[in-house]
Amino acid sequence: MRHFKMNIGFSYRALVLCYLVLFNSCLEEIDFETDNFESLLVVDATITNELKTQEITLSRTFEFGEDNDNIESGAQVKVVGDGVEYIFQHTETGKYQSIQPFNAQPNVVYHLEITTADGERYSSSEMKLTTATQIDNLYAERITNDDGVDGVAIKVDSFDPTNTANFYRYTFEETYKIVAPMWRQEDLYLDTYILDSIPVCVVKIRQRPEEQKACYKTEFSNKIKITLTSGLNEDLVEGYLVNFLPSDDFKISHRYSALVKQFVISEEAFNYLETIQSFTSQGSLFSQVQTGFVMGNISSTVNPNKKVIGIFDVSSVTTQRLFFNFIDFYPNTNLPPFITSCDLRAPDVAQLFQDGDEEIFICSSQLNFITNRIRVYLEEYTGDPPFYVGPADPPLGPWLMVPRACGDCTALGEPEPPSFWVE
Amino acid sequence: MVKKILSLAFCMISYVSVAQQNDALITVAFDNISIEDAILVLEDKSPYRFYYQNDWLKEIRVTGNFQNTSITQICEIIFQDTPLNFYVTKDLKVMLTQYNQIYNTLPNGFFQSKNEIEKKDEEIVEAPKAVFYKESKFVQSNKLKTVRIGKQRKDNVANEYQLSGIIMNATNNTPAANVSVIVDGGKKGAVSNSDGSFSLRLLAGVHILKTKSLSFQEVEQRVVLFDNGAFSIKLQEKFEGLDEVLLEGNANIAVKEVTGGVTKVDVEDSKNIPLVLGERDIFKVAATMPGISSAGEGANGYNVRGGKTDQNLILLDDGVVYNPAHFFGIFSAINPFSTSEVSIYKGHVPANYGGRLSSVFDIKSKDAIVNNFSGEASLGLVTSNILLEVPVIEDKAGVLIGGRATYSDYILRNLEEEELKKSTASFYDGILKYNHTFSEKDKIKATGYYSKDKFNVTTDSLIGYSNRMASLRWDHTFNDRNDGALIITNSQYQFNLDFEGQTNLNFESGYTINETEIKLDLSNRSFENHRFIYGLATKFYGVEPGFKNPLGDNSQIIPVTIADEQANESALYISDNYKITEKLSVEAGLRFSFFTFLGPSNQNIYQDGFPKNGSSLIESKSFESGEAIESYAYPEVRLSSRYLLFPDFSVKASFNNAVQYIHRLSTNTTASPVDTWKLSDINIKPQRGNQYSLGFFKNFDSNIYELSIEGYYKKSQDILDYKTGATLLFNENLEQEVLQGEGKSYGVEFLIKKTKGKFNGWLGYTYSRSLMKFESEFPQERINNGDYFPSNYDKPHDFSFVGNYKLTRRVSFSSNFVYQTGRPVTVPVGNYVIDNTELVVFSDRNEFRIPDYYRLDIGVNVEGNHKLKKLAHSFWTFSIYNVLGRNNPYSVFFVADDGDIKAYQTSIFTIPVPTISYNLKF
């Protein structure tokens, strides 16, 4: 009897667990095809208080799952403020730059006018420059986030004593140092000559250029990061999480830098971005936010039903950069796993004969691994003890090779440190 | 009939004279001879002739010695102890009567005007002065057994006598307790006590006694009472007769009822229907009926005939319950054990209900049994449920206590996985009801109800919500034509939403709506073929539209409290259920409703002819406490008629309009527990709706099959929606975000039901559309360019089948199949990139549909044995929800993941879900 009861208890628990899992795991990715694709003009137009060549991007919507290559060229773009027209010219892939550098002035109303190549005319509502506010503090901090993941948080503090800024948007550029873990001084190269009217190949070892050991990569943020302070006691942004890097993120392996841009944006822009962002952030399983087309502050001057995407904003911007090293937060800790797995191979080659120290080979596609740089040289393989990668792939050649990224960082980044880089 | 009695009376009068004047004196002796022989002797010795019926004289024997005695005196003596009366006529005749006294004077008032007598025919018979009894009008045409007690004498007709009786069980001759004895259709009554006896004081004369009991068959008996006396009644037991009696009573109700579009959920019958996680759920059963649906498995609320979820008035014992759902919409928050009946008015809504556009769910809880302790309990995998009925005053008052809770929280805490361990999901609900019968005329019922939910959707937010309801109802019968009820209710719905993340933005927030109503509901049956229902109700709303307070020391959140709102909603109503002919009946109702939004309040005033936004705002006008800020008043017509084409085939037509003064606001595609209710105010108008419906109702095979086809067309104005991307919570300028537009829905509902037999169940199919339109001169106040578009719950085809098969007395199977068109969703029509971020542009609202929904459930019910002497009755329910393992999509959404957009679909139950539960009744 007792035994029987225990059995019930066990299966009961298992069943309940099963239910809970049901509630938690009914999410699946699906293939989705756009049913009624509409090609709409997309405007990305923020002019700032920095004196520079201002830039506006025009593009078209593209179908779900396709690549973004629908640039909008041939449009006439101008920003009008205080009776002055700032003309923008198409330079490359949908980017329009102001002919003259200029910066947005406080208390001037600006608006955007666009006439596309197909003759459609759009204009924005009038916008004013927002309050300029400094980033008071940009810092990195080791935290455990809400999902229980350990990592480094990049946070920002900002304070506007006038209490007029209120709406903030952040973008960042992250630059990180990549060190090829299996970089070696030597490299293989192929020397070819004719022997008895047959082209033969000799594999030689030479010194590798130094730059392949440490490289730098820069990436741009691809998330909308906005926050508001209008519901707070003070116009105080405190510890706003601009980016979170899990402790196993390859980007923080050595030295990491982030250039954070703080835009003080208009309320219109904030509401617009908040709405479109909410449409692509995961909600609750049971209730889903009502999506739909959202109008920004740009509209067609001819046909009010013509849809156009995007917002024109005039915002003040400040930037700040930070650096940190992995060991600052994780002393005596193994580095995060490298971005690719560095498996070793010793590719088979058919040796023709040995000429003194030189091994002579028939020049065939078998030697392509030396020239195509999918793999790079690690060290000589002596075959003793035999090095097996796997039973199906016995190492037969004389050289151990690793994936290029493991031995040559230029596979991942630029060898030159950027101008702002400090060690 | 009256004339006959009268002519008989006149006839008698013509013979009446003073008998004593011609008395001849007789000498005779009788020694225990039969009265028949005695009469023969008397006839021999005198000139008198006796007139009688032979069978009256059987077994009566007489003894007496008479010397020169008049015939009158002799008769007086020999008939003294017999049921016979006599009368001596002038022409030497002795008329014998049984029981009846022949009077030589007429009762007072006999010569009233004939009309009056005709009108009051029953009173003549009942008149205490004299009883001219005949198998006639007073007695119903069916043959009743007659019991005579005592005999009529000249001196006993005006008196009251004691009638005692014993009621016995005919099968085993044991006393039958708790049997009601009703005299003359309810004028007097008694209940037999434990030894089966009862006693009544009744006027002399004829009475009809009727017994009523749950366990015995009814018996009707005529009692002719002229003396104190006793008699016994033997009753046959009713074997499982209760259900059948009920069924027979309602057998033809679907056809004969005047109102169309009424759905009744039989709570007891619904226990076999397999439901997810084994939870009996009256709402889910209701949703298998045509015209009632929900947006999806996890969706909160129900859509009735294309209406929004906020358009249903959900009443539990007369009090409103705002959100009777647990865990979004997975479980119902109404304890099925405590529920006695549910009526859903989706077409014609009687005039005594109001305040919502689409429907009324009128849920009545059980009255506690007042003579013995009983209860019901169930143990399920996720919840347990218990209900107790406790007598307080025997036969008068009882208490019902019900409670239900889930142990999911306990389970979550004991799980290994970190994320689940931190999750919480708990709910419970309870009901307490007291019913007290003071007399036949006065009854009081008091109900208290509370439900509570708490769960987190993400790790940093916690949602809690609760419903609270209390109601007090006093039913009073003024007389046999007037009765009424005084009802006081109070309801509250509140939710809170707490956020605790890693920034300075942590907060706790909440919302509360409270309403108190007092209602006087009266009915009158003074006029033949009319039944009037009339009354008035007034309701006070108090809303705390939201507060937000900082949570923790670090939080920089400024406490925000949106000013309270208050309003009064009142209504006067009258309706007449008028039976015009045997075939045609009409229920005509008129409800006049008033709504006043009351101060104190600050109301935004906007410039006319401009969209409501910050720039068209003229001022924020301040109103004082109690000031009537804005009033609305509308007459509501509630008209329904029925025409019986044949006794089992009727056609019903109705026209209804309704007004709704409060609105549920949600930015989600389906309703959620954290949706707020908003009162109509200076900027937000009440919603109004009209519904036309026509239906045909037919019963077959002596009411075993019920068939109905109903069609409806509904149009509503000023229904609420919101601008895409609106923020509705903690928004002081809500009117800038909401839109008011038109709704249109129509449909045809087909239902065939088999009500009896080993195999029973129903099959329903609905074709319906539900559309909305938000048109405005300003583009930002339009949705889909101001054209009609399908609502979020527009599911044109809806098919459902529910079947029960009783294999043996102990084992029954049930099954449930649902097919619905997939609901509309809004999907991307393209992607774009702004500042390295890939985003999607959405289509017009609801242009796409998710795949169709279908699901099959099966269940087996195994009852314990049916031994009579068992302490408790138990049954096991095994069921499998979604047997086919259909992965029914609930929604489709798009998530930005590291710069790319990915499409996901969610489903609530993707695999077959087995459940077992144990139920106990004692």
Side-chain angles (χ1 to χ4, degrees):
Chain A
M1 194 64 207
R2 192 189 159 91
H3 188 69
F4 176 66
K5 263 188 184 167
M6 280 171 65
N7 271 339
I8 282 189
F10 172 76
S11 56
Y12 162 75
R13 229 186 105 116
L15 260 174
V16 171
L17 188 66
C18 163
Y19 291 142
L20 294 167
V21 169
L22 280 177
F23 284 132
N24 282 286
S25 65
C26 350
L27 187 67
E28 62 178 300
E29 194 177 338
I30 51 166
D31 285 331
F32 181 80
E33 278 173 39
T34 314
D35 231 26
N36 321 306
F37 172 71
E38 286 179 72
S39 176
L40 305 177
L41 180 67
V42 181
V43 180
D44 185 357
T46 301
I47 59 167
T48 66
N49 58 347
E50 290 172 301
L51 180 62
K52 63 168 190 183
T53 304
Q54 304 284 344
E55 193 174 271
I56 286 169
T57 309
L58 300 186
S59 60
R60 290 261 159 194
T61 55
F62 54 95
E63 287 202 50
F64 197 86
E66 311 262 299
D67 286 331
N68 176 26
D69 52 6
N70 291 322
I71 59 155
E72 180 72 6
S73 53
Q76 296 167 35
V77 178
K78 63 183 174 189
V79 168
V80 183
D82 212 8
V84 184
E85 288 192 354
Y86 303 94
I87 308 292
F88 285 66
Q89 270 186 337
H90 188 214
T91 53
E92 43 146 342
T93 59
K95 295 208 187 312
Y96 290 77
Q97 289 183 338
S98 61
I99 294 171
Q100 306 292 329
F102 72 101
N103 59 342
Q105 301 295 323
N107 302 315
V108 173
V109 290
Y110 294 91
H111 75 270
L112 173 71
E113 287 178 19
I114 299 168
T115 306
T116 55
D118 60 8
E120 290 280 352
R121 293 163 68 91
Y122 303 91
S123 78
S124 76
S125 55
E126 295 189 323
M127 306 302 291
K128 267 189 189 173
L129 181 64
T130 52
T131 313
T133 308
Q134 296 304 309
I135 293 176
D136 292 330
N137 193 11
L138 175 71
Y139 55 101
E141 192 178 71
R142 183 176 170 181
I143 63 162
T144 302
N145 76 0
D146 292 336
D147 297 328
V149 180
D150 175 42
V152 178
I154 295 168
K155 292 182 170 182
V156 80
D157 294 343
S158 174
F159 177 59
D160 168 33
T162 66
N163 203 1
T164 51
N166 287 332
F167 304 99
Y168 298 85
R169 177 179 182 199
Y170 295 93
T171 61
F172 63 89
E173 274 174 46
E174 53 185 356
T175 306
Y176 49 91
K177 188 176 182 180
I178 303 158
V179 177
M182 291 178 167
W183 179 83
R184 291 292 182 274
Q185 199 75 37
E186 299 84 23
D187 199 5
L188 294 184
Y189 76 100
L190 217 52
D191 197 12
T192 313
Y193 60 94
I194 308 292
L195 182 71
D196 296 339
S197 72
I198 303 163
V200 290
C201 288
V202 180
V203 179
K204 290 181 174 167
I205 289 177
R206 65 175 174 202
Q207 295 294 302
R208 247 200 275 194
E210 173 71 14
E211 297 80 54
Q212 291 181 4
K213 187 177 182 184
C215 300
Y216 304 87
K217 177 148 193 192
T218 298
E219 286 175 358
F220 296 92
S221 57
N222 54 15
K223 281 194 187 89
I224 295 173
K225 288 279 176 187
I226 48 174
T227 188
L228 82 168
T229 59
S230 60
L232 306 183
N233 287 320
E234 295 173 298
D235 194 347
L236 175 68
V237 177
E238 192 177 79
Y240 180 76
L241 184 70
V242 176
N243 197 16
F244 177 76
L245 299 141
S247 60
D248 60 356
D249 192 333
F250 145 82
K251 292 176 187 174
I252 60 167
S253 299
H254 303 282
R255 187 166 172 78
Y256 178 95
S257 173
L259 176 73
V260 173
K261 277 190 176 179
Q262 173 178 281
F263 295 86
V264 176
I265 59 175
S266 63
E267 185 175 359
E268 288 92 328
F270 180 85
N271 289 339
Y272 181 81
L273 293 170
E274 191 190 37
T275 303
I276 57 173
Q277 183 195 32
S278 72
F279 292 167
T280 51
S281 57
Q282 194 176 330
S284 141
L285 176 60
F286 294 100
S287 50
Q288 184 201 2
V289 68
Q290 175 70 61
T291 54
F293 181 76
V294 191
M295 240 175 93
N297 61 354
I298 303 167
S299 56
S300 163
T301 50
V302 185
N303 175 10
N305 286 335
K306 180 90 188 169
K307 290 175 181 168
V308 56
I309 294 165
I311 200 145
F312 168 67
D313 202 23
V314 185
S315 66
S316 64
V317 64
T318 50
T319 55
Q320 212 174 89
R321 179 175 290 283
L322 68 66
F323 288 93
F324 68 85
N325 297 320
F326 184 73
I327 50 162
D328 298 345
F329 298 105
Y330 299 94
N332 310 315
T333 311
N334 287 337
L335 291 187
F338 193 64
I339 193 161
T340 59
S341 74
C342 295
D343 59 317
L344 306 177
R345 295 281 163 90
D348 187 18
V349 282
Q351 193 184 324
L352 203 59
F353 57 89
Q354 187 110 16
D355 181 15
D357 278 352
E358 277 192 337
E359 292 168 295
I360 311 290
F361 301 94
I362 295 166
C363 290
S364 72
S365 61
Q366 252 188 344
L367 295 170
N368 281 355
F369 70 91
I370 295 167
T371 47
N372 67 14
R373 297 194 65 76
I374 290 171
R375 286 178 172 264
V376 293
Y377 176 65
L378 182 70
E379 60 199 31
E380 260 185 56
Y381 176 58
T382 57
D384 187 28
F387 188 92
Y388 288 100
V389 175
D393 190 17
L396 297 163
W399 309 285
L400 274 179
M401 306 293 288
V402 292
R404 182 181 160 213
C406 302
D408 172 7
C409 69
T410 59
L412 299 170
E414 298 296 324
E416 288 296 320
S419 53
F420 57 80
W421 195 264
V422 280
E423 277 299 327
Chain B
M1 198 51 77
V2 179
K3 280 179 185 162
K4 255 190 182 171
I5 295 174
L6 285 173
S7 60
L8 179 76
F10 280 113
C11 193
M12 284 177 177
I13 289 161
S14 67
Y15 287 104
V16 169
S17 67
V18 183
Q20 280 84 349
Q21 284 172 1
N22 300 325
D23 264 356
L25 301 175
I26 303 157
T27 301
V28 71
F30 303 124
D31 187 13
N32 196 25
I33 61 166
S34 81
I35 197 152
E36 213 164 354
D37 291 343
I39 287 169
L40 289 175
V41 173
L42 283 172
E43 283 183 333
D44 196 34
K45 292 195 172 183
S46 74
Y48 292 97
R49 289 289 167 270
F50 284 74
Y51 294 88
Y52 58 89
Q53 277 188 16
N54 283 338
D55 57 352
W56 292 351
L57 308 178
K58 276 174 192 161
E59 292 175 42
I60 300 174
R61 305 190 84 83
V62 290
T63 302
N65 206 347
F66 305 96
Q67 299 284 330
N68 293 326
T69 315
S70 74
I71 188 82
T72 314
Q73 284 166 319
I74 294 168
C75 285
E76 265 173 11
I77 289 161
I78 63 174
F79 294 123
Q80 193 178 8
D81 292 311
T82 70
L84 302 177
N85 288 313
F86 70 100
Y87 189 75
V88 185
T89 66
K90 273 193 277 188
D91 52 352
L92 309 175
K93 286 173 182 163
V94 179
M95 322 282 288
L96 296 187
T97 61
Q98 199 181 19
Y99 300 105
N100 296 61
Q101 172 87 282
I102 294 178
Y103 287 83
N104 53 6
T105 55
L106 280 169
N108 289 342
F110 191 83
F111 290 105
Q112 287 168 327
S113 80
K114 204 177 164 186
N115 285 344
E116 213 174 323
I117 294 166
E118 276 183 342
K119 238 195 240 169
K120 300 181 176 175
D121 52 343
E122 290 185 13
E123 283 169 28
I124 293 174
V125 184
E126 284 172 25
K129 298 274 161 52
V131 181
F132 298 102
Y133 176 69
K134 205 158 179 291
E135 300 274 342
S136 68
K137 158 83 181 173
F138 179 64
V139 183
Q140 282 96 14
S141 53
N142 53 346
K143 289 215 164 173
L144 295 183
K145 202 175 145 192
T146 304
V147 177
R148 298 168 196 277
I149 291 168
K151 69 173 173 176
Q152 193 176 23
R153 297 188 306 270
K154 278 184 180 171
D155 58 348
N156 70 355
V157 291
N159 296 341
E160 268 197 348
Y161 294 99
Q162 184 82 24
L163 175 67
S164 325
I166 285 192
I167 302 177
M168 308 289 279
N169 182 337
T171 339
N172 51 12
N173 273 323
T174 53
N178 291 317
V179 178
S180 306
V181 180
I182 295 154
V183 182
D184 298 342
K187 290 192 179 111
K188 274 201 163 176
V191 177
S192 66
N193 51 31
S194 54
D195 58 6
S197 67
F198 68 93
S199 82
L200 283 159
R201 282 199 73 80
L202 297 174
L203 283 173
V206 184
H207 299 282
I208 302 291
L209 265 61
K210 196 171 174 182
T211 67
K212 268 199 160 169
S213 159
L214 290 178
S215 27
F216 296 99
Q217 289 176 4
E218 285 179 13
V219 164
E220 219 173 13
Q221 208 156 50
R222 184 186 300 123
V223 173
V224 185
L225 181 72
F226 288 111
D227 205 343
N228 294 333
F231 78 120
S232 71
I233 305 172
K234 288 193 175 175
L235 297 180
Q236 297 293 333
E237 277 186 53
K238 231 182 333 190
F239 289 103
E240 296 192 4
L242 185 59
D243 280 355
E244 284 186 18
V245 170
L246 283 176
L247 282 172
E248 292 298 332
N250 293 329
N252 215 2
I253 198 153
V255 171
K256 285 197 169 157
E257 211 171 32
V258 183
T259 53
V262 183
T263 300
K264 301 235 181 212
V265 176
D266 188 320
V267 179
E268 195 55 29
D269 278 6
S270 69
K271 76 175 183 190
N272 291 351
I273 298 171
L275 289 169
V276 65
L277 307 181
E279 289 293 311
R280 267 162 75 184
D281 186 334
I282 48 180
F283 291 100
K284 293 255 158 60
V285 176
T288 63
M289 299 289 194
I292 305 168
S293 65
S294 74
E297 264 166 336
N300 191 306
Y302 291 87
N303 304 102
V304 179
R305 287 191 168 173
K308 296 179 74 169
T309 55
D310 69 346
Q311 293 173 350
N312 306 317
L313 182 67
I314 299 168
L315 299 174
L316 172 64
D317 287 346
D318 307 305
V320 178
V321 180
Y322 277 85
N323 182 17
H326 284 311
F327 205 59
F328 291 86
I330 301 274
F331 306 111
S332 128
I334 302 285
N335 190 331
F337 288 162
S338 69
T339 311
S340 79
E341 62 169 68
V342 184
S343 309
I344 302 161
Y345 301 93
K346 57 184 182 180
H348 173 73
V349 176
N352 51 335
Y353 300 107
R356 299 288 191 280
L357 288 196
S358 284
S359 75
V360 177
F361 284 63
D362 192 9
I363 304 164
K364 296 281 184 215
S365 64
K366 276 184 197 166
D367 284 350
I369 299 174
V370 289
N371 44 36
N372 54 339
F373 177 82
S374 68
E376 223 172 317
S378 81
L379 280 169
L381 291 167
V382 179
T383 67
S384 276
N385 189 357
I386 186 160
L387 182 89
L388 299 175
E389 293 173 66
V390 186
V392 177
I393 304 169
E394 173 135 1
D395 297 332
K396 280 193 185 311
V399 168
L400 176 140
I401 307 162
R404 186 164 55 145
T406 174
Y407 7 92
S408 53
D409 224 13
Y410 167 78
I411 299 154
L412 283 168
R413 269 199 301 276
N414 285 289
L415 291 176
E416 299 298 324
E417 200 188 323
E418 201 57 39
E419 199 166 325
L420 285 177
K421 211 171 181 167
K422 277 201 280 177
S423 316
T424 180
S426 70
F427 60 79
Y428 60 85
D429 58 74
I431 185 166
L432 180 70
K433 182 178 180 183
Y434 176 75
N435 47 279
H436 193 139
T437 306
F438 291 95
S439 68
E440 280 294 313
K441 290 188 165 177
D442 290 286
K443 277 177 202 161
I444 275 186
K445 291 172 187 179
T447 307
Y449 168 82
Y450 187 76
S451 86
K452 169 96 188 158
D453 267 70
K454 206 169 98 175
F455 56 88
N456 52 7
V457 208
T458 56
T459 44
D460 48 17
S461 66
L462 182 70
I463 290 175
Y465 64 94
S466 66
N467 289 285
R468 192 190 74 195
M469 195 286 296
S471 77
L472 180 68
R473 180 188 177 104
W474 173 30
D475 283 294
H476 178 72
T477 306
F478 297 98
N479 49 48
D480 56 352
R481 299 199 168 100
N482 286 289
D483 48 42
L486 180 69
I487 302 153
I488 301 169
T489 65
N490 174 270
S491 307
Q492 189 192 11
Y493 180 68
Q494 74 93 30
F495 66 79
N496 48 40
L497 180 65
D498 300 345
F499 177 84
E500 204 163 1
Q502 297 213 356
T503 58
N504 58 351
L505 304 174
N506 296 341
F507 64 85
E508 53 184 13
S509 66
Y511 168 92
T512 306
I513 181 166
N514 195 310
E515 63 161 79
T516 303
E517 185 183 41
I518 179 159
K519 181 175 178 180
L520 185 63
D521 191 34
L522 300 161
S523 85
N524 172 290
R525 290 174 302 274
S526 291
F527 303 95
E528 206 178 348
N529 296 330
H530 287 271
R531 181 161 188 262
F532 290 99
I533 289 175
Y534 57 103
L536 52 104
T538 184
K539 187 181 269 192
F540 181 80
Y541 289 106
V543 180
E544 294 165 32
F547 70 86
K548 192 173 181 181
N549 290 329
L551 186 62
D553 299 335
N554 183 35
S555 177
Q556 278 280 332
I557 294 282
I558 303 175
V560 179
T561 304
I562 312 263
D564 290 359
E565 293 180 351
Q566 44 284 312
N568 173 272
E569 183 182 334
S570 299
L572 279 169
Y573 58 86
I574 181 160
S575 82
D576 178 16
N577 193 324
Y578 177 30
K579 191 170 155 191
I580 299 169
T581 67
E582 278 302 318
K583 290 182 167 174
L584 180 65
S585 283
V586 168
E587 188 176 299
L590 185 68
R591 184 180 173 93
F592 202 74
S593 60
F594 319 86
F595 179 88
T596 308
F597 189 76
L598 297 165
S601 176
N602 289 320
Q603 293 280 296
N604 290 337
I605 311 292
Y606 295 90
Q607 229 172 315
D608 281 341
F610 288 90
K612 289 188 174 84
N613 58 33
S615 39
S616 66
L617 178 67
I618 300 173
E619 59 166 332
S620 176
K621 206 168 166 184
S622 161
F623 293 89
E624 278 167 35
S625 178
E627 196 177 342
I629 296 169
E630 184 73 79
S631 293
Y632 298 97
Y634 294 97
E636 301 172 40
V637 176
R638 310 286 176 80
L639 199 62
S640 182
S641 62
R642 181 224 63 206
Y643 186 77
L644 278 176
L645 297 166
F646 301 100
D648 59 356
F649 185 27
S650 68
V651 54
K652 300 179 191 179
S654 72
F655 169 71
N656 265 259
N657 53 29
V659 186
Q660 177 167 342
Y661 298 99
I662 73 169
H663 322 272
R664 187 177 185 165
L665 303 176
S666 173
T667 46
N668 290 318
T669 52
T670 56
S672 103
V674 293
D675 295 341
T676 58
W677 292 82
K678 173 81 185 88
L679 301 172
S680 295
D681 62 16
I682 215 160
N683 290 306
I684 294 172
K685 287 175 277 188
Q687 318 177 23
R688 285 165 295 132
N690 293 333
Q691 186 184 167
Y692 306 84
S693 61
L694 179 71
F696 294 89
F697 298 79
K698 167 90 178 131
N699 285 13
F700 294 97
D701 269 7
S702 29
N703 302 324
I704 291 175
Y705 295 96
E706 293 177 14
L707 176 69
S708 67
I709 297 170
E710 284 185 88
Y712 65 89
Y713 178 82
K714 247 165 117 169
K715 196 102 196 249
S716 42
Q717 286 101 51
D718 290 325
I719 54 165
L720 258 75
D721 215 295
Y722 44 85
K723 295 176 190 168
T724 304
T727 307
L728 302 178
L729 207 52
F730 318 119
N731 189 334
E732 288 183 289
N733 306 311
L734 259 182
E735 63 280 351
Q736 295 181 10
E737 303 276 18
V738 302
L739 305 173
Q740 293 199 283
E742 283 173 41
K744 178 166 86 176
S745 58
Y746 50 88
V748 181
E749 301 167 352
F750 170 88
L751 177 70
I752 183 158
K753 214 169 169 178
K754 183 170 184 286
T755 55
K756 282 179 246 180
K758 274 191 152 182
F759 175 75
N760 61 62
W762 62 86
L763 193 150
Y765 168 75
T766 310
Y767 174 78
S768 65
R769 293 303 310 271
S770 167
L771 307 167
M772 293 204 243
K773 180 169 124 173
F774 294 87
E775 166 69 312
S776 162
E777 52 184 306
F778 316 112
Q780 57 268 55
E781 293 192 349
R782 279 182 216 152
I783 299 176
N784 290 11
N785 287 330
D787 298 327
Y788 272 111
F789 65 92
S791 68
N792 286 330
Y793 40 84
D794 174 53
K795 297 174 167 182
H797 299 282
D798 185 343
F799 172 89
S800 58
F801 165 78
V802 171
N804 298 298
Y805 182 74
K806 197 157 189 164
L807 189 68
T808 67
R809 277 174 79 99
R810 291 178 57 183
V811 181
S812 58
F813 294 95
S814 54
S815 174
N816 186 10
F817 179 78
V818 188
Y819 167 83
Q820 289 169 346
T821 314
R823 73 178 173 91
V825 287
T826 310
V827 294
V829 289
N831 291 23
Y832 63 97
V833 171
I834 280 189
D835 216 355
N836 292 316
T837 309
E838 189 168 330
L839 295 162
V840 285
V841 54
F842 283 90
S843 67
D844 278 346
R845 205 183 275 188
N846 293 344
E847 272 195 350
F848 187 77
R849 279 179 191 279
I850 57 173
D852 290 351
Y853 179 98
Y854 64 84
R855 194 190 79 232
L856 175 71
D857 315 324
I858 53 169
V860 185
N861 226 32
V862 181
E863 311 234 354
N865 62 39
H866 283 91
K867 274 183 199 161
L868 277 170
K869 290 274 174 187
K870 248 175 43 158
L871 268 173
H873 171 72
S874 66
F875 63 93
W876 287 91
T877 310
F878 306 92
S879 68
I880 302 174
Y881 186 85
N882 194 11
V883 180
L884 304 174
R886 159 89 173 162
N887 186 351
N888 283 305
Y890 177 61
S891 65
V892 176
F893 63 95
F894 300 85
V895 174
D897 183 19
D898 206 22
D900 287 330
I901 299 291
K902 285 179 177 160
Y904 290 92
Q905 83 172 33
T906 60
S907 343
I908 309 290
F909 295 101
T910 53
I911 57 165
V913 185
T915 307
I916 179 168
S917 71
Y918 178 71
N919 299 267
L920 193 68
K921 223 173 178 171
F922 49 92

